[in-house]
Amino acid sequence: MTLRWDVLAAILGMVAATFLCRAGGYAILRVTRPPPFVQAMLQHLPGAIFVAFLAPALAQGGWPAWVAGGSALLVQARFGRMALSILTGVGVLWAIQALQ
């Protein structure tokens, strides 16, 4: 199998673009501080990303997914630990699917 030069150039271009996007963000934040409202939004970003991944799974998963999501929500509300709530939701979903 051979690698064509145009494919290699496309891959290297994507590598450079990805690196520049990530490094550029760090470089900008080293020089300037974002306003307080931007800092507040960035603190809530992990939860928003989690919900963006969770919503389609709940929509397609039926009642077992809703029960697992509810258990994860209860654990998150009680303990405030994202990893524990994710593990709880996955564990409940696996248990329900194993019992069906």
Side-chain angles (χ1 to χ4, degrees), residues 31-92:
V31 176
T32 62
R33 300 300 316 159
F37 75 92
V38 173
Q39 289 179 353
M41 285 189 300
L42 291 175
Q43 288 177 349
H44 296 289
L45 194 58
I49 292 171
F50 179 65
V51 169
F53 282 114
L54 183 66
L58 285 176
Q60 295 177 350
W63 71 268
W66 283 97
V67 171
S71 65
L73 182 66
L74 289 174
V75 169
Q76 179 65 26
R78 173 66 174 96
F79 298 106
R81 297 189 176 254
M82 180 81 69
L84 182 61
S85 65
I86 293 171
L87 289 174
T88 301
V90 170
V92 168

Side-chain angles (χ1 to χ4, degrees), residues 3-17:
L3 182 62
R4 297 184 346 223
W5 70 270
D6 58 338
V7 174
L8 180 61
I11 291 171
L12 292 176
M14 288 183 266
V15 166

